[in-house]
Amino acid sequence: MWFPRHSALLCGQFGVFSRRVVAVVIRRRCSAPEVVFRGKINTRDTQQQQRHTESSRVMPSNVEIKAKVSDPTLFAEKAAKLSQSEGTIIGQHDTFFNCRQGRLKLRDFMNEAGQLIFYERPDTDGPKLSRYSISPTSDPSSLRAVLSDALGVKGEVRKERRLFLIGQTRVHLDTVEGLGNYMELEVVMRPEQTVEDGQKVAEDLMEKLGVSKESLVMGAYMDLILKGH
């Protein structure tokens, strides 16, 4: 009896075999005959529970804004006042890889540390929701080589970032090689907050930092570089 079941698994008939197993288990545990015929229903319930578990693994999310900065000194002064700090200078070398959906990039901090980041967000100006997942690495150079061979490189972005923390928002003042000066707001969403809540936080901070709607830009720095901006 073992060999046919094993063969069924190897032949891709696991779904049929699973329903039979569920029915057998119920038959042994329950004396009421009508329960035996509900084996398929219980299998479907199990599948629904599995889908619910998978859907509960929600990626963290940000509400983001990106804009061109005409006066980086003035912007830095306003951000420093709001954050009560001079900010943190971070060097970053981002390598973007070909990806069917969303964006996949390796961020090298140029100090033998890095992050592999996958994220999804709409290409619109103004506040937008970004979902992401991050995996740290202590060997970004080797990981870049592997991903380059496997997926191919879409492009690279080099920048110096000045990071300010204002409440739940990360404020970036970026000097991007080949593009110039930009700012990004990343409102780190709390589980109980809605997208509208995050947008309000971002818009209020835009006003305090003197960011006009006319200066807003769409897409990632990689997109702007590929477009030749």
Side-chain angles (χ1 to χ4, degrees):
M1 294 300 293
W2 177 86
F3 181 76
R5 294 181 182 176
H6 185 64
S7 300
L9 287 172
L10 295 178
C11 294
Q13 298 176 2
F14 181 74
V16 176
F17 177 60
S18 298
R19 289 193 291 271
R20 291 175 180 171
V21 170
V22 173
V24 170
V25 172
I26 295 174
R27 186 179 294 113
R28 289 177 179 174
R29 291 184 178 180
C30 305
S31 58
E34 63 272 12
V35 179
V36 173
F37 299 101
R38 291 162 59 183
K40 292 183 180 180
I41 297 177
N42 286 343
T43 302
R44 185 167 61 249
D45 292 343
T46 302
Q47 293 171 344
Q48 290 174 348
Q49 291 175 1
Q50 182 179 359
R51 285 195 296 269
H52 175 74
T53 301
E54 292 173 350
S55 64
S56 65
R57 301 190 193 109
V58 179
M59 290 193 294
S61 59
N62 291 337
V63 168
E64 299 185 5
I65 290 178
K66 184 187 274 87
K68 183 73 175 175
V69 174
S70 57
D71 190 339
T73 301
L74 179 59
F75 182 90
E77 290 175 355
K78 292 181 178 180
K81 184 177 181 180
L82 289 172
S83 67
Q84 298 183 343
S85 75
E86 293 302 314
T88 303
I89 304 296
I90 308 171
Q92 295 181 350
H93 174 199
D94 293 346
T95 304
F96 285 76
F97 302 96
N98 295 317
C99 187
R100 288 186 178 180
Q101 118 181 24
R103 294 181 174 92
L104 179 67
K105 67 181 176 183
L106 176 65
R107 172 159 291 168
D108 190 339
F109 294 111
M110 315 304 292
N111 60 359
E112 298 184 354
Q115 296 174 332
L116 184 62
I117 305 169
F118 172 78
Y119 66 99
E120 296 177 297
R121 71 179 177 213
D123 289 329
T124 58
D125 56 8
K128 46 188 170 287
L129 185 67
S130 173
R131 302 186 186 278
Y132 61 93
S133 55
I134 299 176
S135 178
T137 176
S138 59
D139 192 358
S141 297
S142 295
L143 185 55
R144 183 187 299 110
V146 172
L147 291 173
S148 298
D149 290 342
L151 302 175
V153 174
K154 183 177 182 180
E156 298 179 63
V157 177
R158 290 177 172 86
K159 62 181 177 289
E160 182 180 84
R161 167 163 288 178
R162 190 170 175 182
L163 168 65
F164 302 90
L165 299 178
I166 303 175
Q168 68 184 99
T169 306
R170 297 168 58 90
V171 179
H172 304 150
L173 175 58
D174 294 335
T175 302
V176 187
E177 186 177 304
L179 290 179
N181 299 305
Y182 289 79
M183 78 94 212
E184 285 186 344
L185 304 183
E186 293 182 356
V187 183
V188 182
M189 301 291 289
R190 303 188 184 107
E192 71 277 7
Q193 288 181 307
T194 64
V195 177
E196 289 74 19
D197 293 333
Q199 289 175 338
K200 186 176 187 307
V201 172
E203 289 168 352
D204 289 346
L205 199 49
M206 274 180 61
E207 184 176 351
K208 292 177 181 178
L209 291 169
V211 179
S212 66
K213 292 183 179 180
E214 291 74 22
S215 64
L216 297 177
V217 297
M218 296 186 297
Y221 293 134
M222 185 73 264
D223 299 327
L224 298 177
I225 289 175
L226 292 176
K227 291 177 182 177
H229 289 193

